[in-house]
């Protein structure tokens, strides 16, 4: 055992760059581990709510959504800011139906199929079935979009184009729900 310890110490004395890289990797892993829950991300206090909205169909409330950004406004600069889009569900929806409705919204906005088709399989592997009372959130950062289900990290799409494409379902000017968009952006629709 002492020989193994001696070899370890000699290796890192001879290779100090590896030592610093290992420390940097450990620091990144610790950050990732600490962000396995959305509440840990939100506890930083850097997110500002821009708006909240409830989506209803006829007389039924289906979900309540909120938009939070580090700049307090939208659109954001993904190089400098982060965004959290959070949905609390008031009804059950299967992951298949959730993905189909996501595709329908992209089609409504005339997003070319080649712009979103590569994400569909990833969404199938990440999104669970939703039951009443569940929540789903996405944290959009410069290079990736991380999903949280009931506050717990469930997966990531490591593509900087996905985040904007996804939140544009609600935030693009061509959204199917302009009143919801206005509430999420903190706007008065009748100004």
């Amino acid at each position: 055992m002492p020989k193994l310890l001696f070899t370890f110490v000699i290796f890192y004395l001879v290779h100090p760059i590896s030592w610093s890289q290992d420390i940097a990797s450990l620091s990144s892993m610790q950050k990732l581990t600490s962000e396995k829950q959305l509440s840990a991300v939100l506890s930083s206090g850097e997110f500002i709510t821009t708006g909240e909205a409830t989506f209803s169909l006829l007389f039924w409330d289906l979900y309540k959504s909120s938009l939070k950004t580090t700049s307090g406004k939208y659109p954001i600069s993904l190089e400098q800011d982060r965004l959290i889009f959070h949905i609390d569900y008031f009804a059950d929806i299967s992951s298949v139906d959730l993905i189909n409705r996501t595709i329908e919204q992209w089609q409504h906005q005339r997003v070319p199929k080649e712009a979103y088709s590569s994400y569909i399989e990833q969404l199938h592997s990440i999104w669970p079935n939703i039951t009443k009372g569940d929540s789903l959130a996405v944290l959009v950062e410069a290079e990736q979009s991380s999903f949280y289900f009931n506050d717990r990290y469930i997966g990531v799409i490591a593509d900087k184009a996905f985040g904007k494409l996804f939140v544009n379902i609600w935030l693009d000017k061509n959204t199917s729900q302009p009143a919801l968009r206005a509430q999420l952006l903190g706007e008065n629709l009748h100004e």
Side-chain angles (χ1 to χ4, degrees), residues 22-36:
D22 288 347
I23 290 173
S25 295
L26 181 59
S27 176
S28 295
M29 287 186 337
Q30 288 172 336
K31 182 179 180 200
L32 181 62
T33 303
S34 70
E35 292 190 356
K36 289 291 185 187

Side-chain angles (χ1 to χ4, degrees), residues 97 99-109 116:
D97 284 343
I99 291 167
N100 288 339
R101 290 187 182 158
T102 299
I103 293 169
E104 287 171 8
Q105 290 304 310
W106 283 329
Q107 291 171 342
H108 169 83
Q109 294 178 1
Y116 63 80

Side-chain angles (χ1 to χ4, degrees), residues 33-44:
T33 303
S34 70
E35 292 190 356
K36 289 291 185 187
Q37 292 191 320
L38 185 60
S39 56
V41 177
L42 290 170
S43 69
S44 69

Side-chain angles (χ1 to χ4, degrees), residues 77-176:
S77 165
L78 280 176
E79 290 77 32
Q80 300 170 351
D81 300 314
R82 302 191 303 164
L83 169 154
I84 295 175
F85 188 76
H86 187 272
I87 300 175
D88 291 313
Y89 289 90
F90 304 139
D92 298 352
I93 183 168
S94 72
S95 62
V96 171
D97 284 343
L98 195 58
I99 291 167
N100 288 339
R101 290 187 182 158
T102 299
I103 293 169
E104 287 171 8
Q105 290 304 310
W106 283 329
Q107 291 171 342
H108 169 83
Q109 294 178 1
R110 298 188 180 351
V111 174
K113 185 175 184 177
E114 52 274 3
Y116 63 80
S117 61
S118 64
Y119 304 125
I120 302 306
E121 188 175 324
Q122 294 176 73
L123 291 174
H124 276 289
S125 69
I126 295 172
W127 286 353
N129 293 322
I130 303 288
T131 56
K132 182 179 178 179
D134 285 339
S135 67
L136 188 64
V138 63
L139 168 64
V140 179
E141 301 174 282
E143 300 295 324
Q144 65 186 25
S145 298
S146 302
F147 284 97
Y148 296 83
F149 176 66
N150 293 337
D151 193 49
R152 187 179 50 84
Y153 172 85
I154 56 170
V156 65
I157 294 183
D159 183 331
K160 62 183 176 183
F162 174 80
K164 183 175 182 184
L165 182 69
F166 182 66
V167 298
N168 272 351
I169 289 171
W170 298 271
L171 303 178
D172 188 80
K173 289 181 181 179
N174 295 321
T175 182
S176 65

